[in-house]
Amino acid sequence: MAAYILRRLLLIIPTLLGILTINFLIIQAAPGGPVEQTIANLQGLNASATSRFDGSAQSDFSNASTSTNDSSYRGARGLDPQLIKQIEAQFGFDKPAHERFFQMLKNYLVFDFGESLFSGKKVTDLIIEKLPVSISLGLWTTLITYLVAVPLGIKKAVRDGTPFDVWTSSVIIVGYAIPNFLFAILLIVLFAGGTYFSWFPLRGLTSPDFDQMTMWGQIKDYFWHITLPVLVSVIGSFATLSMLTKNSFLDEINKQYVVTARAKGLTENQVLYGHVFRNAMLLIIAGMPAALIGIFFTGSMLIEVIFSLDGIGLLGYEAVIKRDYPVIFGTLYIFTLIGLLLKLVSDLTYVAVDPRIDFESREN
């Protein structure tokens, strides 16, 4: 097993390299980078300034603008080429793309992600600052989802075809069909918008006077703020897990070893939790890494935006909009590394749940 773990850890290196390379090439080809955005802002300031001049002054400015047109950037017309070079140097674009790529890889080996192009903060500081919000939302969502979905799925499998199974399936389908952001808006209108009820706060994870509260007051304030975001996340997550659990258990219940166990006189609980549970949970365990990544990062972005939660999902979204390359690649590197490590943890959990599985012997 130690050799298998070592091989998997070594495979993380080329995987990370491949993902970073592909994304670097895509982002470099995408228009509207930080240099272009700065040029557009400068041109906007120039346009604003010329609007206060008379007609002759505007004509002079127009003539001056057309006199320098050596830059390859769109919208750079009329700006001093020396200024363009200064802007490129400011954002690190004064070097060829391949030099910037290899320098990035060198820095990433020591987890040096550089500084944000717009906020001036270190990317690691930004991630550490935003991560607790996403972790808080993701942990509660994951915990509640599994506590609700797994027992519900097991009960649906045991009572397959009964009225309980039918009406719970209907509720699950409706919950799955409603997009997260739409359900979030609905909850805000009903319980936080003031139109009907004002039971929960509209935005943020804590109140402004959170630091002045007692410990018990802080706990209540925290759960008061996080209730609606977690509820929205759970509604969007537990439907798939419930049906997956049900189908996994149904598949195992109909196998021959279950019939044999019942023939030996074992009770239903002994059969279900002593034999079926271990085999049925393998498929659910396999899906945990993808579920955790989705809940912690991708799935929480819209929820963080709607509820004004300053987390990692909102940070990544704003970085893409602003073309803040260090933040984009820093968060991508962290997400990918966490995902690959969670996949390894998933395989190890496979072995812990069912010792008959031996990944090392299957590779030989």
Side-chain angles (χ1 to χ4, degrees), residues 92-363:
F93 285 84
D94 54 335
K95 299 178 181 178
H98 68 278
E99 289 187 17
R100 289 186 277 115
F101 177 69
F102 287 115
Q103 183 62 44
M104 180 185 72
L105 294 181
K106 181 180 177 181
N107 293 336
Y108 279 22
L109 288 176
V110 293
F111 289 88
D112 180 9
F113 305 125
E115 295 182 353
S116 169
L117 298 180
F118 296 96
S119 68
K121 295 182 179 179
K122 289 186 176 181
V123 175
T124 50
D125 293 340
L126 283 174
I127 294 176
I128 293 173
E129 178 184 338
K130 312 294 184 182
L131 199 55
V133 175
S134 296
I135 289 178
S136 180
L137 181 61
L139 282 178
W140 285 113
T141 300
T142 304
L143 178 63
I144 296 175
T145 297
Y146 274 82
L147 287 178
V148 173
V150 173
L152 178 62
I154 294 174
K155 191 169 185 179
K156 285 174 62 63
V158 173
R159 302 178 62 177
D160 182 44
T162 64
F164 172 82
D165 180 43
V166 173
W167 72 260
T168 52
S169 295
S170 301
V171 173
I172 288 173
I173 292 172
V174 171
Y176 183 75
I178 300 177
N180 276 6
F181 71 91
L182 186 60
F183 193 70
I185 295 172
L186 176 63
L187 289 183
I188 288 175
V189 171
L190 291 177
F191 302 112
T195 304
Y196 297 95
F197 305 100
S198 297
W199 292 348
F200 298 97
L202 184 60
R203 58 177 57 89
L205 198 60
T206 57
S207 298
D209 58 342
F210 182 80
D211 293 335
Q212 284 73 44
M213 296 180 181
T214 62
M215 181 178 292
W216 176 242
Q218 290 179 342
I219 293 174
K220 291 193 298 182
D221 183 75
Y222 167 77
F223 282 106
W224 183 46
H225 281 78
I226 207 172
T227 297
L228 291 186
V230 168
L231 181 59
V232 173
S233 300
V234 169
I235 291 297
S237 304
F238 92 101
T240 303
L241 184 60
S242 297
M243 298 306 297
L244 178 63
T245 304
K246 175 191 172 182
N247 293 333
S248 297
F249 273 80
L250 274 179
D251 184 56
E252 293 296 325
I253 287 173
N254 294 324
K255 289 185 177 180
Q256 185 61 42
Y257 74 89
V258 176
V259 177
T260 304
R262 286 171 176 166
K264 291 181 178 179
L266 298 179
T267 65
E268 283 298 316
N269 283 339
Q270 289 176 327
V271 172
L272 188 63
Y273 296 103
H275 294 77
V276 175
F277 185 83
R278 185 177 64 181
N279 296 323
M281 288 299 291
L282 289 175
L283 185 60
I284 299 170
I285 292 172
M288 284 185 65
L292 286 172
I293 292 295
I295 291 172
F296 271 74
F297 305 111
T298 311
S300 65
M301 186 188 72
L302 285 176
I303 296 174
E304 289 179 7
V305 173
I306 293 173
F307 288 98
S308 299
L309 301 176
D310 195 12
I312 200 75
L314 184 59
L315 174 66
Y317 171 77
E318 292 177 345
V320 172
I321 296 298
K322 296 178 180 179
R323 300 293 197 275
D324 197 343
Y325 294 154
V327 177
I328 293 175
F329 285 110
T331 53
L332 173 68
Y333 184 85
I334 294 297
F335 294 171
T336 306
L337 183 60
I338 292 176
L340 293 173
L341 291 176
L342 284 176
K343 182 61 178 175
L344 175 59
V345 171
S346 174
D347 290 345
L348 297 179
T349 309
Y350 260 124
V351 178
V353 174
D354 190 349
R356 294 173 300 175
I357 297 176
D358 188 356
F359 289 105
E360 188 170 5
S361 62
R362 288 176 63 181
E363 290 189 354

